[in-house]
Amino acid sequence: METLEPILAAHPFFEGLEPKYMQLITGCASNVRFEAGTYIFREGEAASRFYIIRQGKVALETFAAQRGSITIETIEAGEVLGWSWLFPPYRWHFDARVVELTRAISLDGVCLRTKGEADHDLGYELVKRVAQILMQRLQATRLQLLDVYGVHTRGGL
Amino acid sequence: MTANIPDPMLPQVYRVQRVRREIPDTFTMELEPADGSDIPPFATGQFNMLYVFGVGEIPISISGDPAKRKPLVHTTRAIGTVSKAMRELKSGDVIGVRGPFGSQWPIERALGKDVLIVAGGIGLAPLRSTMYQVIAEREKYNKVVLLYGARTPEDILYRREQERWRAHFGLEVYVTVDRATGAWHGSVGVVTKLVPRAPFDPFNTVALVCGPEIMMRFTAAELEKRGIAAEHIFVSMERNMKCAVGFCGHCQYGPNFVCRDGPVFQYSHVQSLLTKGEI
């Protein structure tokens, strides 16, 4: 039977990870599918999984009174959804609403966290990879905050 | 014998054919020479100096089809004295035009290669001419990809035209906005986020980037990370151009005059200047 290992191994998030760890991670993985309009998780819920998005689009949203749902960013094919499973208090910070039919590989974060505690080499690898995503998101958020298309830019004559 | 070349400092009188509102604050003007002649040939990426009589003159990139002899098309944002006065012009009003001036997008360097166009906000205006040219010569290039970022869904420039481009078999168009509500079904995030998943071969791509300077800086860094060499990335700079012919020095940018040596520069030539607060 074909396993998810080659798909996971080809993903940038797991690039270069030792085969023994890939096997272990594959054991915590399953294929999932979410219909448009559904929620993968909600703000405040326990964060026990994360997702390698293979196809589709997921909006990270938060609700603001009198403004409704605001989309912070979308997570799309090739990206990783969710890092709250790795850091206390293990709660989601945003809603994850499915914008388009989404196919993903779901990974059991609790299982990986436990194995990472037992094997610090694996734990370090996971933290490094999640930190890379955090850095990219932070950089993107900084650029968003700069409001680069505001009136102080191009065409101001 | 003297060649019949117009004095570059003397505005030619054009008549406004149409002023079209694009998005809040941004409008497109279609102009034709008042004497009925054709507009001078221009290359994509070049700009004109547009003179609202009695108010002032500003540089604006040409955003029309270079293959068409009329009209002359400019899109700009009404946020300064001159551009606000320009927005109030009506069909039949006259305006002064000098140009075209400046360097062009080096689209000939992309022959047989992938063309990646990255635009942010109103930065799509100077690249729309290139889009027209690339579409007209589509068979000369490999993949053609447009990555476009806007502030909100309401700020997407040339929206209908982008939809047509998206439907075009030979074009890949990806749009993202910095912020949105749940009613928007497209991508949300900065334009640089589109770079890692865009379908192009970084080792066989020419990238043309236009938008706010900080957006171009971050985009170029992302393109380099993906593997495009700085020599194959081109950016369009904006400075306070006055004479447009390299005399006055208002637009000096390091060793360059943006009006004469730019506005389109090879990224590797200006890379070190982009992070300097003062030059």
Side-chain angles (χ1 to χ4, degrees), chain B residues 12-235:
Chain B
Q12 304 297 305
V13 178
Y14 277 59
R15 205 167 284 282
V16 176
Q17 299 300 308
R18 196 156 76 129
V19 180
R20 187 175 58 248
R21 183 178 176 275
E22 299 282 357
I23 51 175
D25 293 341
T26 301
F27 61 98
T28 294
M29 273 194 318
E30 294 181 3
L31 311 171
E32 290 192 8
D35 63 6
S37 60
D38 289 338
I39 64 170
F42 68 91
T44 69
Q46 287 193 300
F47 68 97
N48 280 318
M49 298 298 295
L50 300 191
Y51 183 17
V52 180
F53 296 116
V55 182
E57 189 182 50
I58 53 173
I60 303 182
S61 297
I62 305 170
S63 50
D65 187 341
K68 288 188 178 170
R69 295 181 171 185
K70 287 176 189 171
L72 179 61
V73 181
H74 290 278
T75 297
T76 194
R77 198 171 185 184
I79 52 174
T81 307
V82 181
S83 53
K84 280 180 178 167
M86 208 171 272
R87 183 181 56 184
E88 301 309 315
L89 293 174
K90 301 280 182 288
S91 175
D93 287 346
V94 290
I95 190 169
V97 177
R98 292 194 293 128
F101 297 114
S103 58
Q104 63 190 81
W105 294 110
I107 197 66
E108 71 287 350
R109 291 179 59 168
L111 294 175
K113 297 181 177 174
D114 293 348
V115 182
L116 176 68
I117 292 175
V118 189
I122 197 174
L124 183 57
L127 281 163
R128 186 169 71 162
S129 304
T130 311
M131 286 298 291
Y132 291 141
Q133 185 176 353
V134 168
I135 290 167
E137 307 169 337
R138 182 63 192 84
E139 71 286 354
K140 292 184 180 176
Y141 310 97
N142 196 25
K143 284 181 185 159
V144 178
V145 181
L146 169 65
L147 308 181
Y148 178 66
R151 197 182 198 195
T152 70
E154 292 73 36
D155 296 312
I156 294 173
L157 188 62
Y158 308 137
R159 193 167 187 159
R160 284 187 183 170
E161 200 156 22
Q162 285 198 48
E163 282 165 13
R164 286 200 293 276
W165 292 341
R166 193 194 298 269
H168 191 291
F169 185 67
L171 303 174
E172 302 253 13
V173 178
Y174 300 89
V175 177
T176 187
V177 297
D178 280 5
R179 63 188 73 151
T181 62
W184 165 251
H185 293 282
S187 298
V188 179
V190 289
V191 72
T192 50
K193 263 196 78 180
L194 298 177
V195 173
R197 56 176 183 258
F200 61 85
D201 173 4
F203 305 107
N204 193 35
T205 293
V206 170
L208 314 177
V209 185
C210 188
E213 252 178 61
I214 193 160
M215 166 262 170
M216 293 195 290
R217 182 151 59 90
F218 278 86
T219 300
E222 200 64 36
L223 294 175
E224 282 193 294
K225 206 160 100 184
R226 177 86 192 263
I228 303 184
E231 293 73 30
H232 297 150
I233 301 171
F234 296 85
V235 296

